[in-house]
Amino acid sequence: MPRGGKRQGAGRPVGTGKYNETTKAVRLPVSLADEILEALARDPQQVEPSTIVSSIFKTDNNNIKCRVPLYLNPVAAGFPAPTEDYIEGKIDLNHHLVKHPESTFLVRVVGDSMQDAGIHPRDLLVVDRSLEPISGKVVIAVVNGELTVKRLRKHRNKLWLMPENPSFQPIEIDENVELHIWGVVTNVIHAL
């Protein structure tokens, strides 16, 4: 009998597993696998209302180029200004939003604890793991096993994760809190 490969009649019939549908194998970095799987298994409706990560995406700068026209004249946000129809050139949004492709990922958020920072429910955040998470930066953090997005604050030798909505309380990071910083948010992609 031949060994290896696909054999007729072998394996579980499609749709009979835990999810009752075809599944797909996903490769995760060993250092992040447990955190990602736990975060994805949580029901966002049962988590304390906050701004949390609902989806995680890897960027792919190698295959897709998205070049859009960049007009020479800026758009006035105050009084209207005369316009000229001159195109300065085209820019690639991947190149503009992703500075370090190998260490960048996207996340979709749920909740409104960061609304005053311009981060709203369903927004996509561009997150760079290669940047240093210094005080004042918006970060993706794992706090006691739960993913969240907050502004990192260091004040008088204490570390805080600060919401940007007065309805929410800051999270003080002390010896009883397990904290892992996944990366620094560099851009918000927000639909109008």
Side-chain angles (χ1 to χ4, degrees):
M1 171 172 205
R3 296 174 104 31
K6 185 176 180 179
R7 294 185 304 280
Q8 188 70 24
R12 181 182 310 133
V14 175
T16 60
K18 176 180 177 182
Y19 302 102
N20 294 322
E21 62 180 287
T22 303
T23 59
K24 179 178 181 179
V26 178
R27 295 179 61 104
L28 300 172
V30 173
S31 62
L32 299 176
D34 290 338
E35 292 176 43
I36 292 171
L37 292 173
E38 287 173 16
L40 293 174
R42 267 187 231 101
D43 180 1
Q45 304 303 326
Q46 294 177 353
V47 177
E48 174 185 329
S50 184
T51 303
I52 61 171
V53 172
S54 72
S55 305
I56 303 169
F57 308 94
K58 181 71 178 132
T59 62
D60 184 6
N61 278 23
N62 299 327
N63 300 326
I64 301 171
K65 296 291 180 188
C66 179
R67 291 177 132 19
V68 293
L70 175 63
Y71 283 89
L72 186 60
N73 288 355
V75 175
F79 292 106
T83 62
E84 299 173 22
D85 290 335
Y86 298 113
I87 295 177
E88 182 176 345
K90 292 191 174 190
I91 62 171
D92 181 352
L93 290 179
N94 291 309
H95 181 71
H96 183 70
L97 296 175
V98 180
K99 302 298 183 206
H100 306 105
E102 294 304 315
S103 61
T104 300
F105 60 97
L106 305 174
V107 297
R108 187 173 307 278
V109 297
V110 175
D112 58 359
S113 73
M114 294 298 288
Q115 71 182 15
D116 293 348
I119 299 173
H120 303 280
R122 306 284 306 145
D123 283 355
L124 277 173
L125 304 180
V126 181
V127 183
D128 192 333
R129 291 181 59 92
S130 70
L131 299 177
E132 183 180 354
I134 60 175
S135 184
K137 295 289 186 181
V138 175
V139 298
I140 300 297
V142 181
V143 180
N144 294 331
E146 295 184 12
L147 277 170
T148 189
V149 56
K150 296 286 182 284
R151 189 171 302 278
L152 188 64
R153 248 331 151 229
K154 186 174 182 182
H155 182 66
R156 295 184 180 171
N157 293 326
K158 288 191 176 184
L159 196 60
W160 299 82
L161 291 176
M162 304 296 292
E164 296 276 338
N165 180 336
S167 301
F168 294 86
Q169 295 297 312
I171 301 168
E172 182 179 0
I173 307 301
D174 60 21
E175 64 276 354
N176 299 319
V177 176
E178 184 180 345
L179 173 71
H180 300 284
I181 303 292
W182 271 19
V184 174
V185 176
T186 59
N187 292 280
V188 179
I189 302 172
H190 175 75
L192 296 178

